[in-house]
């Protein structure tokens, strides 16, 4: 199918990037379970290795099943290209890899997935990179944190875990004025609810593990490139603008134009870091994406019902769902994610840490797991699990204090979910 601009999201989530298999006519995208691809002849092989011709060499770099997923995600996000990788965390490292050098930093929101806070505050130091964490509602603080060595601004559209929506347009304006890219993690929103590129994002990263796959089967990640950033406007991004010694002095931006980041991600990033998505994972994720809009509609509908019920319950102290009128981010939802605030939120339980632990143990439909974005409803007590390695201050800033429970609302019957929470809250407060 040719991806005309006239096709709607529901059509593109099924068709974008896919075409009947040229060899067999297979209508569903085959799982190309192969490591390597036969070259037509020696000249063909040389042209592929020189990046003079695009084609398949080896599945660490490219694979036809993964390529369909890349094209589908690029289309759904409104980007020009995408690189899939082995997990959401791999996608974050891959996104930064092309932009960073030792001594460089990123400015990141304090409201991020706990694993990302750990990756940015601890692990990236091993590469000589660092992160400055700032409250992204304080625009002056974001501006002030950017210095000559800042190479990217990083945030989540709907922040995990706590019902926070980032003012992407304002943040993109700041990054733009500083001549650096804005990277938005769109995992919790998905392109059905939020399209960060339309709000000025340069790169969009995903953990495809979550809503995109949607059924808790495989881990995966993706970086979608808007194609809009001018990597040669200043000398901050030599990996993309300066001659690349590993390719006989080829300049990615000059050679590939808007696809520079995507080509670099495959030709250097996947080649040398090897964080590759396998074709089986791409298959499961492609299957999931076919029903993304239907699932997200139900996730939102159920989340609104459950959050509204929880908010009115005397055993609950507060609910941080941005889709509730009581949320300070309620108005922002209309501009950033007009189809709804997602299916993920936290609530504070009266009785603190101990009551939260009892609640998690008593729930029956909700599974106690470190995951989100499944068809099944999931629950986790962040302070004792995903956010355990964080300091108390970092936990509070991330919306994961000791009295907070995070739930990922599935697509089951909302009344069953409410009944389950009701009985578990009774046990938690007894
Ligand atoms: C899960 C998650 C990640 C990390 O993704 P993995 O696939 O687990 O590596 C990053 N960001 C957000 C918002 C997430 O929910």
């Amino acid at each position: 199918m040719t991806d005309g601009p006239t096709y709607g999201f529901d059509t593109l989530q099924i068709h974008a990037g896919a075409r009947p298999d040229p060899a067999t006519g297979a209508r569903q995208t085959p799982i190309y379970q192969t490591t390597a691809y036969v070259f037509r002849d020696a000249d063909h092989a040389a042209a592929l290795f020189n990046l003079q011709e695009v084609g398949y060499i080896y599945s660490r770099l490219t694979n036809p099943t993964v390529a369909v997923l890349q094209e589908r995600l690029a289309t759904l996000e409104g980007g020009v290209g995408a690189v899939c990788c082995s997990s959401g965390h791999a996608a974050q490292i891959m996104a930064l890899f092309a932009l960073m050098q030792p001594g460089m930093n990123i400015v990141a929101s304090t409201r991020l997935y706990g694993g990302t806070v750990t990756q940015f505050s601890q692990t990236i130091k091993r590469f000589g990179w660092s992160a400055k964490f700032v409250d992204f509602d304080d625009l002056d603080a974001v501006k002030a944190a950017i210095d000559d060595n800042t190479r990217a601004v990083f945030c989540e559209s709907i922040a995990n875990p706590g019902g926070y929506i980032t003012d992407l347009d304002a943040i993109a304006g700041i990054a733009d004025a500083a001549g650096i890219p804005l990277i938005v993690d769109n995992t919790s929103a998905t392109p059905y609810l939020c399209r960060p590129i339309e709000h000025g994002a340069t790169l969009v990263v995903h953990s495809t593990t979550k809503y995109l796959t949607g059924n808790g089967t495989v881990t995966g990640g993706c970086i979608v490139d808007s194609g809009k950033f001018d990597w040669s406007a200043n000398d901050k991004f030599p990996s993309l603008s300066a001659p690349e010694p590993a390719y006989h002095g080829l300049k990615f931006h000059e050679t590939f134009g808007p696809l520079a980041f995507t080509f670099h991600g495959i030709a250097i990033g996947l080649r040398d870091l090897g964080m590759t998505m396998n074709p089986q994972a791409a298959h499961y994720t492609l299957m999931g994406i076919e029903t993304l809009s239907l699932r997200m509609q139900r996730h939102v509908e159920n989340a609104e019902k459950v959050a509204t019920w929880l908010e009115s319950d005397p055993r609950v102290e507060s609910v941080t769902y941005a889709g509730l009128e009581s949320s300070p981010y309620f108005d922002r939802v209309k501009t950033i994610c007009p189809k709804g605030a997602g299916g993920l939120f936290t609530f504070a339980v009266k009785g603190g840490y101990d009551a939260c632990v009892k609640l998690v143990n008593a729930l029956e439909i909700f599974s106690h797991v470190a995951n989100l974005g499944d068809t099944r409803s999931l629950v986790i007590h962040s302070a004792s699990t995903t956010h355990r390695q964080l300091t108390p201050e970092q936990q509070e800033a991330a919306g994961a204090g000791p009295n907070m429970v995070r739930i990922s609302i599935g697509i089951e019957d909302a009344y069953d979910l409410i009944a389950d929470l009701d009985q578990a809250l009774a046990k938690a407060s007894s």
Side-chain angles (χ1 to χ4, degrees):
M1 152 179 172
T2 41
D3 306 331
T6 51
Y7 292 120
F9 191 97
D10 291 355
T11 306
L12 294 171
Q13 73 184 358
I14 295 169
H15 292 288
R19 46 196 72 79
D21 181 49
T24 62
R27 176 61 271 200
Q28 189 51 276
T29 300
I31 304 169
Y32 286 91
Q33 197 66 63
T34 184
T35 308
Y37 308 84
V38 178
F39 305 122
R40 289 195 302 271
D41 52 35
D43 285 345
H44 177 221
L48 291 173
F49 275 93
N50 275 342
L51 297 182
Q52 285 156 343
E53 192 177 326
V54 177
Y56 297 102
I57 298 176
Y58 185 64
S59 283
R60 171 154 35 80
L61 308 169
T62 46
N63 170 281
T65 313
V66 178
V68 172
L69 177 59
Q70 289 174 162
E71 195 174 330
R72 185 162 308 166
L73 286 169
T75 304
L76 294 179
E77 286 287 3
V80 295
V83 184
C84 282
C85 33
S86 51
S87 70
H89 270 4
Q92 291 168 192
I93 293 295
M94 286 270 295
L96 295 179
F97 180 63
L99 315 177
M100 304 290 277
Q101 292 167 80
M104 302 298 128
N105 68 69
I106 61 171
V107 170
S109 171
T110 46
R111 297 181 186 85
L112 294 176
Y113 172 69
T116 305
V117 175
T118 307
Q119 186 187 55
F120 287 174
S121 61
Q122 307 296 333
T123 304
I124 65 170
K125 284 187 199 158
R126 312 272 178 102
F127 306 141
W129 311 342
S130 61
K132 303 186 204 179
F133 293 94
V134 182
D135 175 355
F136 271 37
D137 274 346
D138 185 347
L139 299 178
D140 288 333
V142 177
K143 270 182 224 161
I146 296 174
D147 63 29
D148 287 345
N149 291 332
T150 305
R151 291 295 177 269
V153 174
F154 188 101
C155 63
E156 295 177 11
S157 45
I158 300 178
N160 175 355
Y164 171 82
I165 312 275
T166 306
D167 185 351
L168 296 178
D169 302 270
I171 300 294
I174 294 171
D176 207 42
I180 54 176
L182 169 63
I183 307 173
V184 176
D185 181 340
N186 200 29
T187 299
S188 305
T190 81
Y192 181 69
L193 298 180
C194 175
R195 304 227 309 165
I197 291 171
E198 289 171 4
H199 299 280
T202 305
L203 302 173
V204 178
V205 293
H206 276 284
S207 167
T208 60
T209 314
K210 314 291 171 55
Y211 292 104
L212 291 172
T213 303
N215 47 41
T217 45
V218 286
T219 62
C222 185
I223 311 139
V224 178
D225 179 8
S226 67
K228 290 183 178 158
F229 196 83
D230 182 359
W231 304 109
S232 307
N234 52 45
D235 57 6
K236 290 184 171 173
F237 304 101
S239 298
L240 295 161
S241 63
E244 169 57 52
Y247 278 105
H248 314 300
L250 174 141
K251 295 180 184 173
F252 276 87
H253 191 212
E254 192 180 284
T255 309
F256 300 110
L259 280 165
F261 183 92
T262 306
F263 270 86
H264 188 277
I266 293 168
I268 307 279
L270 287 181
R271 187 194 65 179
D272 296 344
L273 299 178
M275 301 165 162
T276 307
M277 177 183 279
N278 68 74
Q280 281 281 347
H283 167 74
Y284 284 117
T285 305
L286 282 166
M287 293 301 94
I289 291 177
E290 291 190 353
T291 57
L292 180 64
S293 63
L294 303 175
R295 287 185 287 109
M296 293 315 290
Q297 283 161 20
R298 178 63 77 86
H299 281 297
V300 167
E301 212 178 285
N302 279 358
E304 285 172 355
K305 284 180 189 159
V306 174
T308 303
W309 180 83
L310 282 170
E311 191 173 44
S312 68
D313 193 281
R315 296 162 294 187
V316 172
E317 209 154 287
S318 59
V319 181
T320 64
Y321 186 52
L324 291 172
E325 269 179 58
S326 58
S327 166
Y329 302 104
F330 185 70
D331 288 336
R332 221 175 256 178
V333 172
K334 290 179 203 126
T335 52
I336 304 294
C337 38
K339 294 199 194 91
L344 187 69
F345 61 89
T346 58
F347 62 97
V349 182
K350 287 185 186 156
Y353 192 99
D354 294 339
C356 288
V357 169
K358 277 192 207 163
L359 174 94
V360 163
N361 283 337
L363 283 165
E364 283 168 10
I365 298 176
F366 284 80
S367 307
H368 184 202
V369 298
N371 190 22
L372 61 97
D374 198 322
T375 50
R376 277 154 278 274
S377 289
L378 311 173
V379 63
I380 199 156
H381 182 222
S382 303
S384 62
T385 56
T386 50
H387 288 60
R388 199 183 176 88
Q389 312 305 336
L390 271 52
T391 64
E393 295 74 32
Q394 285 175 319
Q395 286 180 351
E396 289 293 343
N403 60 340
M404 292 294 228
V405 171
R406 182 191 81 189
I407 49 181
S408 170
I409 297 292
I411 60 175
E412 302 102 328
D413 188 317
Y415 295 99
D416 291 337
L417 300 180
I418 289 171
D420 194 24
L421 286 163
D422 191 26
Q423 64 81 19
L425 279 167
K427 288 181 184 136
S429 57
S430 69

